[in-house]
Each structure stands twice: as structure tokens, then as C-alpha cells.
């Protein structure tokens, strides 16, 4: 078990560091303190060949220039907030619009573009972890209150990459954190993800409006292109419905103690996602534009897929959705794990 720390660059006079967490079986997770972005996850295939299973860039400039949120921590509120506003206790809070009139992924300068600070590095016999922090000041992107966020990235000797989120604010605020890694289990993005096999314990999904905002309906997946309760490839039903012909970009409601399993036949790699979050967005990289990855290959459409575990998007504007409001002084906690195994 080991952790390597290197300087990755400088952003607005702040040093950006890269940390590489290693376990005893060759698996590695690398992230940078710019946006807390996960840049590489090296996982063996069935022949023991270590390859990168997330989309990532090799330079800080590329992360600054491209807003696909590769690997980034997203907040204060992941997803969209309609009309960039919400009401709370009789007050209307105006956030910064950054997608038409709507607010997406924390605004123009969300958590994905902040430089996070090292809090703690821990090396134990069966796991290594790095805890980082970010202070979102009162009024940042329109949000109320000073919010201190801690994220702990852990890699275990059992092949589990675990993300723990903790936060506390001095005023009531919405909070909905996620990690925006794009997974591609073929390794080094050698093929797109449409042939990946996905199984999701999700009986319902949230239909979207033209602006990709939840309509408020919670619809059963039965008989739709959103039914992944039995495993199927991404492409199998994608083209069969108007809503998914360009790919998936939809929130699902995760069944209690449900899991998500993604696998790639060619490599034998399997990733199982577990979380304490009630929802997640399946996004199949529909808007990727061919940016050149650290492996020197372009990340075109469907080059990677995201499983953004989180609260319900736009929950602040849908009272019947589970709330994402955190009270002043209350501790927010959330966690998600990505466990990698190999099918011989
Ligand atoms: C697009 O609609 C999608 C989002 O879901 C995704 O998070 C973003 O691109 C990166 O806006």
C-alpha cells in the first residue's frame, strides 16, 4: 500500500498536486486537487494487464479548458436547478445561471474548478486514503452560508475505491455532491461503452423536460428503455425511444440497498457501485467532443459513462422529492464505493 504525491501544476497562483493511491495488487487511483478530479484508475483485466478505466487528461490546462467534468467532485448542487432559483422559508434564492436560464453542476465556477486542500494522508495495512477539503464561501454562485466540505478518497486491498463526503454550513443550504468520473472498462478508452453490460437495481427513473430538468414524475422502468433490472448492453434499447436516441442522461431512483454493476466482456473487468444515495444519473457521454486523453486517444461520443450517485436533481423545486437541504450546523454525510473485480 502506498501513496505518491507530485506537483501537477498551478492554478490562479495555487499549487495543484496529484496523488496516486496504490494497493498491493497493482491497482492505482490518481486524483488531482483541481476539482478533486480522478484522473486515472488502473485496474487489471483477466490477463493481469493494468489499464486506465476512467477518462482523464494528462495536463492541468486540459482540465481547465474542457468542461466535461472528467472525474470531478461536483457541487454545491450536482445536476440542474430550474431557473437558477429556489424558495426556502419564504426567501427566494437566486443562483448563477450557466446553462441558459438554468443552473448546472454548481454554476460557472463550481466545486469542479476549485483547488482543494490536503487535510490528511493515511496508509494502513489494507487501505490508503487522502482527505481533502474545500471552503465554499457565503454567496459563492449565489448559495447561502459558508460551507466546508471534506472528501476522503480511499483505495483498499480488495479493489474498492471509496468516496466519503462530509460537510457543514453556517446557514441552511441545498447540498448535493457527486463524483463525475466517466468509466470505460475496455481499458485506455480503446472502444466506446455502448457494448458495456449494465445491471441496475432501479425500479423507477425521472423523465426529463426539453431542458433536461426532471418533470417531477417518477416513472416505473417496466417496459421502457430504462429497464436495466436484468443486465443488458447500453446500446440494446438506447435507439428504441425518443428520450434515449442520443444516449442516456437520466436520473434513476436506486432501490433500497440496491447496487449497479457494469461489466466489459472483452477484458473481464466488472465494477460494482454501492451508495447510500437515493438516486444516480446514468450519463453515457452524449456530448463528448473528441478531446485528447492522457492515452493520446480522442474521447468521442459515448467514450465513457457516468454513474453520478446523488440526491434527486432539482429537488429544491420539487417538494415531493427527498430534500437536499442541509440545516445550519447539521453534518452532511454521504458515501459511494466502486469495487473492481475480474471475471476469468
Ligand atoms: C451535459 O446533460 C449532461 C450532464 O448530465 C453532464 O453532467 C454534463 O454534460 C457533463 O450537460
Amino acid at each position: 500500500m502506498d501513496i505518491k504525491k507530485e506537483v501537477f501544476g498551478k492554478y490562479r497562483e495555487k499549487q495543484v498536486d496529484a496523488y496516486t493511491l496504490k494497493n498491493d495488487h497493482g491497482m492505482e487511483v490518481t486524483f488531482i486537487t483541481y476539482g478533486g478530479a480522478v484522473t486515472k484508475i488502473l485496474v487489471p483485466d483477466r490477463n493481469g494487464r493494468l489499464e486506465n478505466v476512467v477518462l482523464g487528461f494528462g495536463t492541468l490546462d486540459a482540465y481547465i479548458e474542457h468542461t466535461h467534468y472528467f472525474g470531478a467532485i461536483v457541487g454545491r448542487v450536482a445536476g440542474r436547478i430550474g431557473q437558477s432559483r429556489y424558495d426556502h422559508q419564504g426567501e427566494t434564492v437566486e443562483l448563477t445561471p450557466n446553462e441558459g436560464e438554468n443552473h448546472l453542476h454548481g454554476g460557472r465556477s463550481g466545486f469542479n474548478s476549485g483547488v482543494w486542500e490536503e487535510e490528511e494522508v493515511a496508509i494502513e495495512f489494507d487501505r490508503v486514503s487522502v482527505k481533502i477539503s474545500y471552503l465554499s464561501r457565503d454567496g459563492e454562485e449565489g448559495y447561502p452560508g459558508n460551507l466546508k466540505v471534506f472528501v476522503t478518497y480511499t483505495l483498499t486491498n480488495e479493489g474498492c475505491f471509496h468516496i466519503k463526503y462530509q460537510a457543514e454550513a453556517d446557514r441552511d443550504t441545498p447540498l448535493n455532491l457527486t463524483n463525475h468520473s466517466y468509466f470505460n472498462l475496455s481499458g485506455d478508452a480503446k472502444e466506446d461503452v455502448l457494448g458495456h453490460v449494465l445491471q441496475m437495481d432501479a425500479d423507477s427513473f425521472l423523465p426529463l423536460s426539453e431542458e433536461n430538468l426532471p418533470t417531477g414524475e417518477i416513472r416505473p422502468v417496466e417496459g421502457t428503455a430504462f429497464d436495466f433490472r436484468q443486465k443488458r448492453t447500453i446500446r440494446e434499447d438506447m435507439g428504441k425511444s425518443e428520450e434515449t436516441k442520443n444516449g442516456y442522461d437520466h436520473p434513476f431512483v436506486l432501490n433500497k440497498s440496491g447496487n449497479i454493476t457494469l461489466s466489459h466482456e472483452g477484458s473481464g473487468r466488472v465494477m460494482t457501485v454501492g451508495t447510500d444515495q437515493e438516486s444516480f444519473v446514468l450519463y453515457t457521454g452524449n456530448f463528448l467532443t473528441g478531446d485528447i486523453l492522457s492515452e493520446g486517444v480522442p474521447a468521442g461520443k459515448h467514450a465513457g459513462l457516468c454513474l453520478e450517485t446523488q440526491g434527486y436533481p432539482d429537488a429544491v423545486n420539487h417538494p415531493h422529492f427527498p430534500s437536499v437541504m442541509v440545516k445550519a450546523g447539521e453534518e452532511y454525510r454521504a458515501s459511494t464505493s466502486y469495487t473492481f473485480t475480474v471475471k476469468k
Side-chain angles (χ1 to χ4, degrees), residues 67-70 74 79-80 99 104-105 180 182 208 211-212 248-250 281-283 285-288 306 308:
T67 54
H68 297 300
Y69 303 86
F70 278 3
V74 176
R80 291 170 174 82
E99 189 183 64
L104 171 66
H105 286 347
H180 208 293
Y182 289 69
L208 300 176
E211 293 178 293
N212 278 331
Y248 294 89
D249 189 4
H250 293 77
V281 168
L282 168 63
Y283 171 51
N286 315 331
F287 301 110
L288 294 180
C306 306
E308 304 157 50

Side-chain angles (χ1 to χ4, degrees), residues 7-27:
V7 176
F8 193 70
K10 191 165 273 193
Y11 178 68
R12 294 183 178 167
E13 299 314 309
K14 280 190 175 179
Q15 179 172 302
V16 173
D17 296 314
Y19 293 78
T20 298
L21 290 71
K22 300 179 181 184
N23 74 9
D24 294 337
H25 309 295
M27 187 172 161

Side-chain angles (χ1 to χ4, degrees), residues 50-242:
L50 286 167
E51 294 173 309
N52 183 14
V53 297
V54 292
L55 304 188
F57 295 121
T59 67
L60 178 57
D61 284 349
Y63 280 99
I64 295 166
E65 190 188 323
H66 302 293
T67 54
H68 297 300
Y69 303 86
F70 278 3
I73 297 167
V74 176
R76 268 193 210 191
V77 174
R80 291 170 174 82
I81 292 180
Q83 298 301 306
S84 304
R85 72 165 68 95
Y86 68 91
D87 294 325
H88 179 61
Q89 293 178 345
E91 182 197 359
T92 296
V93 177
E94 300 283 350
L95 305 171
T96 52
N98 62 320
E99 189 183 64
E101 296 175 341
N102 301 324
H103 178 86
L104 171 66
H105 286 347
R108 295 184 197 124
S109 301
F111 292 7
N112 59 294
S113 58
V115 177
W116 291 61
E117 304 291 332
E118 176 187 310
E119 290 288 333
E120 190 183 315
V121 173
I123 298 180
E124 300 167 57
F125 77 96
D126 65 345
R127 65 195 55 223
V128 289
S129 62
V130 180
K131 182 176 187 177
I132 54 177
S133 70
Y134 177 73
L135 173 60
S136 172
R137 295 194 184 286
D138 180 34
E140 183 180 275
E141 299 300 322
Y143 287 102
N146 296 294
L147 173 82
K148 185 76 181 256
V149 186
F150 298 95
V151 171
T152 304
Y153 286 141
T154 298
L155 175 62
T156 76
N157 237 1
E158 309 304 313
C160 176
F161 172 47
H162 182 268
I163 306 180
K164 180 169 74 173
Y165 305 87
Q166 295 163 284
E168 190 167 322
D170 57 14
R171 284 187 57 195
D172 293 5
T173 177
L175 183 58
N176 187 20
L177 300 173
T178 194
N179 179 275
H180 208 293
S181 289
Y182 289 69
F183 296 98
N184 182 324
L185 302 184
S186 67
D188 298 343
K190 62 170 75 75
E191 59 188 71
D192 72 24
V193 296
L194 296 182
H196 278 42
V197 174
L198 181 64
Q199 189 279 323
M200 306 197 295
D201 295 331
D203 294 338
S204 313
F205 75 102
L206 307 184
L208 300 176
S209 70
E210 293 286 309
E211 293 178 293
N212 278 331
L213 284 160
T215 61
E217 182 190 355
I218 300 172
R219 186 182 298 173
V221 297
E222 181 73 36
T224 75
F226 297 90
D227 189 351
F228 285 89
R229 292 173 297 180
Q230 303 304 319
K231 65 180 184 178
R232 61 176 59 186
T233 62
I234 300 291
R235 69 161 53 90
E236 189 161 329
D237 284 351
M238 195 173 96
K240 290 180 184 169
S241 93
E242 196 52 34

